[in-house]
Every structure is written in C-alpha cells, then in structure tokens.
Amino acid sequence: MTALPPADGESLAEDFESLHGEAGLRLHVARSRRFKSTTVDLFLPRLLREQDNTRLAVVARLLERGTTHLPDLRQLNRYTDWLYGAGFLCQAEAHGPFQVLHLHYDAVDRVYLPATGEDLLEAGLRLLGDVVAAPRCEDGGFPPLWVEQEKQSLQRYVAGLRSDRTYHAQRRCLEIMCAGEPYGLSAHGDPADLPALSGGDLMEFHRTHTAKVPLDVYVCGDVDAARVAEQCRRLFCWPRAPEGQPVPSPHDGDGDVRIVVERDDVAQGRMVLGYRCAVALGGPQREGYPALALLNLILGGDVHSRLYQRVREDAGLCYHIASYTEPMGGMLFVEAGVEPGDREAVRAQVAEQLRQLRSHGPEALELARSRALALQRLDAYDDAREGLVRFHYYRQLAGTDVSRARLRQALCRVDVQAVRQVAAQLEFDTDYFLAPEECP
Amino acid sequence: MERVCDAVLQEEIWLAPLPGGGRLWVSPRPGRQCHALLSVDFGAIDDGAPGNCGECLPEGIAHFLEHRLFEKPEGDISERFSEVGADIDAQTGLTSTTYSCTSGVDGFQQALPLLVELVRRPHFTASGTVRERAIIEREIQLFEDHVEWVAFQSVLRCLYGSQRIAVDIAGTAVSLSRIDADLLARCHRHRYHPGALQLFVCGPVDARDVAARVCQSMMGWEKNGGGESAGADSVRPRRPTVTASPRDVTTGLAVPRPRALLAFPDLDAGQGGVLLLRRELALQLALDILFGPASGFFLRHYESGLIDGESFGGEVHAEESFSFCVVGGDTDDPEGLRSAVVEELERAAGSAWIEEDFGRACRRAYGDMVCRFEEVESRASFLESAAVRGCHPFELIDVYRSTRAEDVRRCLETCLCPMGIVTATVLPI
C-alpha cells in the first residue's frame, strides 16, 4: 500500500515548538495542515489539596457561565455558535497529584468556511483571555446566584457519578489506597466543603490561582507560531508570578493489604485491585516506566491481554476485566465486573497471572504484541491532537522527558527481563469490592 | 472507481463496487492512522429467518453473531489483529452491525484482509455458543446498572411497546437460549452476504490500492456462499416501518436523581435517501433552536435548577424504518420538565424563533459537520451515515448547505408537537 508522505514534513522528533514567554507563559505550537480546525488549550495546575480542590471545581463551572462581555450562558453559547460552532469548555481535571484548570477552544479554519474572512482563532484567544481575566463579577465576587446554582450542580454531578458503578468503584479504591495523599483527592472536590464557599472567596481564590501557577498554552493547527505568541502576549495579560510545584513522591506500601467491601444496589459486583510500584513516571526509577506501561498491556490493557483471555474468554468468569495505570503515582489497577460468588476465583486468577509474570516474565510473543500496540498508540497521537497535547502536558507536569521519539526508543528496548523485574516490584495494596446489597 | 471532490472542504471520496454487490468508500487523509469500518446490513431489529419459512429470528441474534464471529478454528481472531498492531472493535446497532479496525499504515495492509476474513469465515461450535451465552447474559446484567442505557431502553418501550425494536439489542435470557451453532451458521449465510456489506476506509491510503486488496480478499465469496445467500442487494428485503404506539413508561433504578426523557415519534417516518438526511438535519436544528445550549429554554431552566448542563440534551434517531426525537436529562421534577417542554413547544408554534435563530443554528451545525472530518473514525462514521441511507456523503454536505427554515418549521408540526409526547422516567429506588 502506498503511503502519502506525512503532511508538512512532520517528523517524530519534536511535536511542539515551545516558546517560553514572560510571566510564566509557555506556548507550545504544533503546526499542521492536516486538520480542518485549530485547537487551543490552556492549563493552570496546582497540587490537589483538600478544600482547594472543591474551590477550583466550582470556579471552573463559574468560568463557563459567562464573562463581563458575554454576561450569561445564552450569550456565551450564541457567541461561540456564530463562530461556526466553536467549542469552548472549562473544567477542573486531575492529572496524577495535580488538579488542573483546563480551558479549551476549537474552531474551523477559515479556508473551510462557506464565507471566508473571519479570524476564528483571534476570537477564541480573546474569549479564553476574557474567561480567565474578566469573569462576570458582582461586588468583587462571582454572582451569588451563580455560586449557589453551581454549588448545587456540582453536588448533583458528584452524586451522579455514583451511578456509574465502575467509575465509583475505581474512585473508592484510589481514595482508600491513597488516603492522605493528593492522589486520593478528587478533581471534583468534596460536596461537604461547598456550604462554606462564597462568591468573594472563590473570586479571590481564582485570582491567586491564576497568578501563582505557570500557564501552558497549546495551539495546534495551520498557524504561525510567532503570530500566536504575539496574540497570547496581548490577550493573556493577567498578572502572573508562578511558583515551582515539585511532584510529591507517592507513599510506599506498608506491606499490609487493605481489604474493603462496600455495598450498593448493583446488579453485579465491581472488583478493583490496587498495586503500588516503585517505578513511576518522573520518579527516581523513571527508566523502568516503559516496562510498566508494557506490563499493563500484557496483563490487562487490551483484548489480547492475559486477564481478558484467561479470565473472560477461557474461564468465562466475567464480562469485563481490564488493568490500567496511574503513571505519576506508579500505581497499577485491575478492575472487573464480577458476581460475588466468583470473586475469589477471579482474584486467584489475577494473582496467578501476576505470579507467572514475576517468575517467568511474559512470553516473547506477548511482549512483541503489546509493544506493537503501544507503539501504534504512540504514533496515533499524530492524528488526534487532544492525545498529543495531553501526552506532552502530562509528562511536562511529571517533570520528565516530553519526547515521543525517545519514549518510542525506550519501548523498543524493553525486554522480557525488564517486564519481569517491574512485575516483581508490584506490591498488592488494596482489595476493593463493591458488592450487591443482598450478597452474603 | 468513481472519484468526487468537494471544493470547499477540499476533500475527495472514492467509490468502488465490491464483488457480489457491496460498496467500498475511500476518503484519503494524510496522517499515520488508517481506519476501516465494515458495515453489515443486519441489526437487532431484523427478524427475518433464513428461507422465508415465517420463523422469527430470536432477539439478540445479530449481537450474538457479532460476538461469535471472532472465534476461528485457530483461536480468537483479535489476537491476529494485535499481532499486526491493529485495534479491532465491533458493535451491533438496531439496523446494522459494524466492525471497525484502526492501525498504522504498515499494519493496515494485513488488517484489511483480516477484517474481511472476520466476517466471511465463521466457525460456530456448540461449546463456544454455550460459553458466549453466559458472557452475553453477564453483559446484559452489566448494562442493567447503566442509567443511560436503561433510560434509552425505556424510551424505546414508550414508543414501540413490546415490538422487537424495544427489546435489548443483546436479547433476553429466553431468546438467547433459542440460539445455537446451527442457527448462527444459517443466519450468517443468509445475512452476511457480500451484497450486504459497505466498507469505509479513511487514512493515508491510495484508493485504488485499497480496492484491489479488498476485492482480492473477497474473491469467490459470492460463489461459495451456499444456497441461502441472498446475493445482490436488489433482493435485500426492505425493512418495514415500525409504527409507534406511544405510552409513558416508568422504571426504577438505584440512581441519585430521576431522569426524564421526553420522546416524540416522527409522523414523517418512512422516508429514505436524501429526504431522510434532510429530515434528520432539520430535526437536529429544531432541537438546537428550541432546547440547545443557546436557547432561552436552556438558560431559564438551567438557572431555575430544573435541568443541568451535563445530562440535558436532545437526540435525533432517524432511520428509514423508524424515526423519533428525545429531549431530556436528569431532573428532580420529571412532571415539571414535561410541562416546561410542552409549554415551550406551544409557544414556539406561534413564534418566529425558528426563523430568527436559523442562521446561528446552521453555522453551528456546519462547523460540527466539518469537524467530523478531523479524525479517521469520525470521518468513517460520517461517510457511513450517508451511505447506509443510500446517499453519497457529499450529498449530505449539500443538505447542510441547502436546508431552509421551512424544513425546520415543519418539524414542529409533524414531530416536535405537544400532542405526540411520551415520557420515559427512571426513578430512584
């Protein structure tokens, strides 16, 4: 099959041209003609902390409600719709131990519009600048009515997350495993903090947050980096004097396994097993991370992986079983939808697979297959900018190498022995089960 | 091969006939990812058994078949996709079953024939069927906790009662017990014939090269398909139109808040081709103007707390054999939401909202459409949405350029009217 040459002579060497501007603004531009729209992402991070996590979660919602120039939701939405359905969102997200205020904007490039001439990028950068620097204000705070509405919305949203039982079980396992650590806190905050929050308090928090943390701006599309840099200087002009934010080391396991069973009205139980590993992205043993990533794929990260094949396909013990990692924290989780009666059998199968991987390592074929998949996913970021941006930003936050090309090389070097070693370092930490009410 | 270009989008789409009556659509795009979507014209609502013997296929058989096609004599075929670095996924819908495969350029050369092999060469065994039944029963159970799924199933029950369309796509314990290896094999021969296939390929590929490769892997299929093969699509049975018999349905589930979905059967159902595409877009524009994030309704009821930003929205489900719209989301007051929607529709009928807001809604829809060309997956599904309705994808783009406010206004008279409204409510237990 004949491949078209990569557009614009793009290579794996560097995904972004990074320009470090004044006052903590770092601009990362990926220029490409491959896309029909331009995306802009702003990230403002802080360490997850109790109460502050609730504040940031509410602020993100308030920022989405309007600005001094577009003073309500309808005017804001009408404005972006006239920009040919430009996307705008503002949310608080967890990235490892960090909570990040993320603003996103995307709009069609002018050459694809039926009537050309509108600069949708300038309009979008101006909008994002306004959202951060000129939120709608009453008596020095966010409008009290909005604050009450968004507190309620957030409370309902958090309650609603519970109805996704798999998500809820994953969340509970992480909370139990990382009690007292930033990793265990939610980007959506704790509803118990909400009553104490006021519009004035939240506005002050917002001003301090945006002034004290570094601002990373990602722009991807057919754009000119120098021109975007000028636009960012002009339109993102709130005061900034960022302070450093080192990644906190995750706790070591204490050797004991926490076993927690909680009950809920579920048709099927949800099992989540949490493991800690000294190998973490950005940690002292970071060179082991590529092996951990492959171990995850071999164990349960895909349909060809051991857990899926042995527990679901061969033993028929569950419909769903998978593993995933928390890279910055060096944590690996196995989750499955399990009948209470099959819980022991599933747990024994997981333990057996891990035991085999510890003692013998993976088979060469398994490793090759997982590596091919990992490389393919890494390459696929070229075609999906959200993944590319998140890959780069997450690794920058972790204080580790942001180069995909070097991660690619490292993945190619991982051998059976390296996967065996990282499997041997896994320490079983938390055994969580969300059980149906009527189960004995 | 036929090649058509769109000057504004700067896109080209290639179309080639496949041996046995199917079609291949190719949309080249620079990049690293290739995506192939294989759509089979057999979905959960299709009940015609092989041989026109009047027998009705058990519910859930399309989904069962989709699951079982992965088993081959040498094992699970997904392993072979993994070996070439490809992701494979499958989904059973109401009117079609789709198999989608994503990979880099190199792996795609091998993945494409594998995709054809996946649907062409079945290996149904008695033991595999028994094992699958247990897996699907668990899958059904897992979805019973899923509020989106439960609410949508309730909508179907509201509109279509106990007709097949309202039964879980995966079937029921009873219907699953009627499915065995022999029935799967007969059903496969009857429904998975080359004429029932449409293949969509997007990525950094050469269209002629793809066509040659696909034709080669399909060679001989129509000849050795067996006596029950329906052959060319001229003999493909047209799905009958499903008639709605609206009534309210309430379901209990362990959820923190009630969810209320208001459903509207479309009196204009039964259209096909470009008319169907036009109807679908007009309904989407109507929902956006009346209830979308830029509507007066959304602002008022978001601020009053009746609706929330996360779950509230509208959807259009328009096919040739059924058509309806849904509006709703989580609310503490399902009755209040219904009254508010009815009131809004009554006011809309005597207002000029549609005409005044049409330009904004069109710009939004146009931008959303352009963005579907951004990724190989969304691009393939865009192509599919036009092609399975018998249209060229560029006809769908023309629909975006030529739809008028009158088309949207008509939706208020024939679908989005207070008269036909039914409510599917999920209440906390």
Side-chain angles (χ1 to χ4, degrees):
Chain A
M1 198 164 296
T2 337
L4 300 180
D8 317 336
E10 288 158 330
S11 76
L12 264 186
E14 291 296 336
D15 291 320
F16 292 95
E17 180 184 347
S18 293
L19 307 165
H20 289 221
E22 59 258 39
L25 189 153
R26 293 181 294 222
L27 171 66
H28 314 275
V29 177
R31 186 172 189 185
S32 169
R33 293 223 168 91
R34 182 176 302 181
F35 299 100
K36 292 199 153 31
S37 63
T38 300
T39 62
V40 181
D41 292 275
L42 268 60
F43 294 101
L44 294 140
R46 62 189 298 118
L47 264 188
L48 273 160
R49 257 178 56 183
E50 277 180 28
Q51 293 181 355
D52 282 353
N53 63 337
T54 314
R55 288 193 176 95
L56 191 65
V58 180
V59 164
R61 291 171 161 268
L62 289 165
L63 295 179
E64 245 184 4
R65 291 284 300 263
T67 67
T68 38
H69 302 112
L70 297 164
D72 69 39
L73 203 52
R74 190 175 190 201
Q75 295 190 53
L76 180 65
N77 288 329
R78 291 184 70 82
Y79 178 72
T80 53
D81 283 355
W82 274 105
L83 303 174
Y84 286 93
F88 161 65
L89 62 87
C90 178
Q91 57 195 26
E93 302 169 347
H95 295 228
F98 293 100
Q99 186 184 24
V100 179
L101 180 66
H102 175 200
L103 290 91
H104 172 87
Y105 173 84
D106 60 82
V108 174
D109 283 341
R110 65 171 93 187
V111 294
Y112 302 109
L113 299 179
T116 51
E118 289 172 69
D119 188 347
L120 305 185
L121 177 60
E122 166 90 12
L125 292 171
R126 186 182 297 281
L127 172 67
L128 295 181
D130 267 4
V131 166
V132 175
R136 190 171 147 195
C137 209
E138 281 176 22
D139 300 328
F142 286 103
L145 189 65
W146 284 13
V147 172
E148 289 317 306
Q149 285 164 353
E150 291 309 324
K151 284 203 250 180
Q152 267 187 26
S153 297
L154 181 64
Q155 188 153 22
R156 282 197 302 254
Y157 178 71
V158 172
L161 288 174
R162 275 196 71 120
S163 51
D164 181 341
R165 301 306 199 282
T166 303
Y167 173 85
H168 177 64
Q170 291 175 343
R171 182 78 232 145
R172 286 294 299 141
C173 181
L174 188 66
E175 280 171 5
I176 293 159
M177 187 159 155
C178 300
E181 291 183 84
Y183 291 94
L185 295 172
S186 163
H188 308 301
D190 181 348
D193 302 334
L194 289 172
L197 304 183
S198 72
D201 165 59
L202 290 168
M203 186 62 82
E204 195 189 319
F205 173 84
H206 170 63
R207 301 276 186 224
T208 315
H209 173 64
T210 51
K212 282 196 174 165
V213 305
L215 168 66
D216 282 276
V217 181
Y218 288 81
V219 180
C220 308
D222 186 12
V223 296
D224 174 63
R227 176 163 152 71
V228 177
E230 178 277 318
Q231 288 171 308
C232 288
R233 264 197 307 279
R234 182 160 44 83
L235 299 167
F236 300 155
C237 50
W238 60 90
R240 283 186 302 273
E243 298 164 1
Q245 297 187 95
V247 183
S249 323
H251 292 181
D252 293 331
D254 48 16
D256 292 335
V257 177
R258 273 166 280 235
I259 302 172
V260 177
V261 177
E262 293 179 325
R263 281 167 203 285
D264 202 348
D265 186 359
V266 288
Q268 193 177 62
R270 302 289 196 283
M271 182 177 89
V272 186
L273 309 175
Y275 300 81
R276 285 183 186 271
C277 181
V279 171
L281 187 68
Q285 295 190 43
R286 67 182 69 179
E287 68 285 352
Y289 174 73
L292 177 63
L294 291 182
L295 171 68
N296 175 49
L297 285 180
I298 292 163
L299 181 69
D302 195 60
V303 290
H304 71 262
S305 57
R306 287 197 175 195
L307 295 181
Y308 191 87
Q309 289 299 330
R310 312 270 155 90
V311 187
R312 179 191 137 123
E313 296 291 294
D314 296 346
L317 282 170
C318 50
Y319 169 68
H320 170 77
I321 184 159
S323 69
Y324 57 96
T325 60
E326 162 45 66
M328 262 192 252
M331 294 173 229
L332 183 140
F333 299 86
V334 170
E335 49 110 354
V338 178
E339 296 297 328
D342 292 335
R343 181 179 167 215
E344 289 302 324
V346 173
R347 201 167 39 186
Q349 287 267 5
V350 175
E352 173 56 21
Q353 295 308 323
L354 276 174
R355 191 194 62 73
Q356 284 180 20
L357 287 166
R358 276 186 191 120
S359 53
H360 306 297
E363 289 162 25
L365 181 67
E366 283 179 297
L367 177 60
R369 203 183 275 155
S370 295
R371 192 193 332 265
L373 191 64
L375 295 177
Q376 193 230 322
R377 286 184 182 168
L378 200 58
D379 291 345
Y381 288 139
D382 276 346
D383 292 8
R385 292 169 289 185
E386 188 188 348
L388 192 65
V389 168
R390 286 184 181 278
F391 176 86
H392 190 279
Y393 184 63
Y394 189 91
R395 295 176 80 88
Q396 183 179 291
L397 257 186
T400 194
D401 190 359
V402 294
S403 158
R404 265 195 309 155
R406 280 188 291 276
L407 177 59
R408 202 174 201 292
Q409 287 166 354
L411 284 166
C412 290
R413 281 196 299 267
V414 172
D415 56 15
V416 168
Q417 195 56 14
V419 176
R420 195 191 64 74
Q421 274 167 9
V422 77
Q425 288 195 42
L426 284 184
E427 229 177 278
F428 193 14
D429 186 290
T430 302
D431 174 354
Y432 177 79
F433 192 63
L434 184 64
E437 305 272 16
E438 68 275 17
C439 111
Chain B
M1 266 192 123
E2 173 200 324
R3 171 174 175 259
V4 184
C5 300
D6 185 275
V8 178
L9 285 190
Q10 299 173 29
E11 288 291 337
E12 58 180 41
I13 291 172
W14 297 72
L15 169 62
L18 291 175
R23 283 175 170 176
L24 168 70
W25 303 85
V26 183
S27 164
R29 171 191 192 270
R32 290 173 165 275
Q33 287 285 101
C34 298
H35 185 73
L37 191 159
L38 181 63
S39 171
V40 182
D41 186 26
F42 179 45
I45 65 171
D46 295 314
D47 60 359
N52 293 327
C53 53
E55 178 195 0
C56 221
L57 287 172
E59 289 110 356
I61 190 159
H63 175 257
F64 206 114
L65 198 52
E66 173 237 294
H67 271 224
R68 282 326 292 160
L69 279 173
F70 282 83
E71 185 175 288
K72 302 296 179 205
E74 63 282 358
D76 188 337
I77 197 171
S78 17
E79 299 210 9
R80 293 169 62 202
F81 281 97
S82 301
E83 277 161 26
V84 301
D87 279 330
I88 176 74
D89 199 7
Q91 208 172 2
T92 306
L94 291 169
T95 55
S96 68
T97 308
T98 54
Y99 299 83
S100 55
C101 164
T102 311
S103 81
V105 178
D106 297 338
F108 197 64
Q109 300 197 34
Q110 293 140 288
L112 207 45
L114 273 182
L115 188 62
V116 174
E117 186 184 337
L118 166 62
V119 295
R120 177 179 176 173
R121 201 167 55 91
H123 174 66
F124 302 123
T125 59
S127 60
T129 311
V130 171
R131 210 167 49 236
E132 199 64 58
R133 201 175 288 141
I135 290 176
I136 294 176
E137 276 172 6
R138 285 208 176 81
E139 182 181 353
I140 294 172
Q141 208 175 39
L142 200 66
F143 277 94
E144 282 168 6
D145 288 337
H146 216 272
V147 63
E148 274 81 22
W149 182 251
V150 171
F152 186 70
Q153 284 301 124
S154 302
V155 165
L156 291 176
R157 282 210 308 282
C158 266
L159 290 170
Y160 303 109
S162 58
Q163 298 178 73
R164 189 178 180 97
I165 187 174
V167 177
D168 194 314
I169 281 174
T172 63
V174 175
S175 72
L176 292 178
S177 69
R178 289 177 52 208
I179 298 173
D180 59 21
D182 175 59
L183 184 60
L184 287 173
R186 284 196 292 140
C187 189
H188 177 267
R189 276 200 303 279
H190 183 62
R191 303 307 304 235
Y192 276 61
H193 57 84
L197 307 184
Q198 297 211 58
L199 178 61
F200 306 89
V201 174
C202 303
V205 295
D206 178 271
R208 289 193 186 87
D209 201 15
V210 170
R213 206 169 278 277
V214 174
C215 290
Q216 195 188 1
S217 45
M218 288 184 67
M219 218 149 53
W221 185 352
E222 73 269 44
K223 294 191 191 73
N224 60 15
E228 284 170 305
S229 171
D233 56 356
S234 55
V235 293
R236 192 187 305 164
R238 217 172 142 263
R239 275 181 201 104
T241 301
V242 186
T243 45
S245 46
R247 63 184 175 97
D248 294 342
V249 167
T250 301
T251 320
L253 191 72
V255 285
R257 289 181 87 193
R259 169 165 298 205
L261 297 182
L262 311 173
F264 302 85
D266 182 4
L267 302 179
D268 273 1
Q271 306 184 84
V274 174
L275 288 178
L276 174 58
L277 297 180
R278 186 180 293 278
R279 179 66 175 177
E280 187 180 26
L281 178 63
L283 285 167
Q284 281 163 357
L285 292 171
L287 287 179
D288 182 40
I289 291 170
L290 297 178
F291 304 109
S295 66
F297 179 93
F298 191 92
L299 179 70
R300 277 198 315 282
H301 295 295
Y302 184 89
E303 295 202 331
S304 76
L306 183 66
I307 61 171
D308 65 47
E310 280 89 11
S311 69
F312 184 80
E315 277 174 14
V316 177
H317 297 267
E319 299 291 343
E320 202 171 329
S321 47
F322 60 87
S323 177
F324 61 92
C325 292
V326 181
V327 177
D330 291 345
T331 179
D332 291 327
D333 180 7
E335 265 308 309
L337 180 60
R338 181 183 170 124
S339 316
V341 167
V342 168
E343 191 188 321
E344 196 72 356
L345 291 172
E346 281 164 352
R347 289 175 57 199
S351 77
W353 296 344
I354 301 287
E355 293 71 17
E356 285 164 8
D357 207 19
F358 182 71
R360 177 204 59 78
C362 277
R363 277 187 161 221
R364 180 181 184 210
Y366 182 83
D368 289 350
M369 185 271 291
V370 174
C371 288
R372 292 190 67 185
F373 280 81
E374 289 293 37
E375 291 177 5
V376 281
E377 293 88 350
S378 54
R379 185 180 277 248
S381 80
F382 180 80
L383 264 52
E384 186 207 12
S385 63
V388 298
R389 294 168 167 95
C391 297
H392 192 286
F394 287 154
E395 287 183 280
L396 178 48
I397 297 176
D398 287 338
V399 166
Y400 277 85
R401 292 174 183 143
S402 63
T403 292
R404 299 280 165 267
E406 303 91 83
D407 300 319
V408 181
R409 173 60 66 184
R410 188 174 155 71
C411 295
L412 265 57
E413 291 144 20
T414 49
C415 181
L416 293 167
C417 44
M419 230 166 43
I421 193 168
V422 278
T423 317
T425 316
V426 180
L427 290 177
I429 47 172

